[in-house]
């Protein structure tokens, strides 16, 4: 069994009306609305949250659900349009096997953070965080 948690802190963008019309934003807000999760924080601040229960995992799932690719698109859009900054947590796991954790800080045209993987077969018990510099590799 796999699990996903994606959460941003509240943030503002340069043109909220334009931003809210992007396909990945529409898809995410639709899924959050169905799950009764608020995305409007107030004063033009928004925040996104996705969990396994409102994400697409296979071709048999509803076609109008966010995917992991939607999350990457959201991060790229936030980085491009954000006014100040926001924090992001993205955790995926395969229960009993591995947990991948991404902790990021996004400012305009910049994303930095750390990636940590915990593998159940790691006999050394050590965790070595990897630095994140950008949403997608250059």
């Amino acid at each position: 069994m796999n699990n996903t948690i994606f959460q941003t802190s509240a943030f503002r963008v340069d043109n909220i009306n334009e931003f809210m019309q992007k396909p990945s934003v529409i898809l995410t807000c639709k899924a959050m609305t169905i799950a009764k999760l608020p995305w409007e924080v107030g004063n033009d601040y928004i925040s996104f949250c996705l969990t396994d229960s409102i994400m697409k995992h296979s071709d048999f799932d509803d076609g109008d659900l966010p995917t992991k690719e939607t999350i990457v698109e959201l991060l790229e859009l936030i980085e491009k349009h954000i006014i100040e900054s926001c924090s992001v947590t993205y955790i995926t796991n395969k229960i009993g096997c591995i947990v991948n954790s991404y902790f990021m800080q996004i400012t305009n045209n910049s994303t930095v953070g750390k990636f940590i993987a915990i593998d159940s077969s790691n006999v050394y018990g050590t965790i070595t965080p990897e630095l994140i510099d950008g949403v997608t590799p250059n």
Side-chain angles (χ1 to χ4, degrees):
M1 175 182 240
N2 297 323
N3 288 310
T4 299
I5 298 171
F6 171 75
Q7 179 70 57
T8 72
S9 63
F11 63 94
R12 292 185 304 151
V13 293
D14 52 14
N15 184 332
I16 193 160
N17 294 326
E18 180 182 310
F19 184 81
M20 298 307 293
Q21 295 306 309
K22 303 293 185 184
S24 58
V25 175
I26 291 170
L27 195 60
T28 299
C29 291
K30 178 182 174 187
M32 289 179 66
T33 299
I34 291 168
K36 296 181 174 42
L37 296 170
W39 52 269
E40 293 177 292
V41 178
N43 294 332
D44 289 336
Y45 280 88
I46 52 180
S47 177
F48 295 127
C49 174
L50 292 171
T51 64
D52 264 2
S53 63
I54 55 175
M55 291 185 67
K56 182 175 181 170
H57 302 286
S58 76
D59 290 338
F60 299 107
D61 292 334
D62 182 350
D64 285 341
L65 292 174
T67 63
K68 291 179 181 181
E69 289 78 16
T70 306
I71 291 174
V72 173
E73 291 170 11
L74 281 175
L75 292 172
E76 290 171 340
L77 284 169
I78 294 168
E79 184 181 82
K80 183 176 178 183
H81 296 282
I82 195 163
I83 294 175
E84 291 118 5
S85 68
C86 83
S87 299
V88 177
T89 299
Y90 177 39
I91 300 171
T92 62
N93 79 313
K94 184 172 183 180
I95 295 177
C97 296
I98 192 163
V99 176
N100 292 318
S101 305
Y102 303 82
F103 305 99
M104 297 167 273
Q105 187 72 29
I106 300 178
T107 57
N108 193 263
N109 294 315
S110 174
T111 299
V112 296
K114 292 193 177 171
F115 165 75
I116 299 171
I118 300 172
D119 188 331
S120 65
S121 61
N122 180 352
V123 296
Y124 300 106
T126 58
I127 298 174
T128 305
E130 297 176 31
L131 295 179
I132 296 171
D133 185 12
V135 174
T136 53
N138 296 329

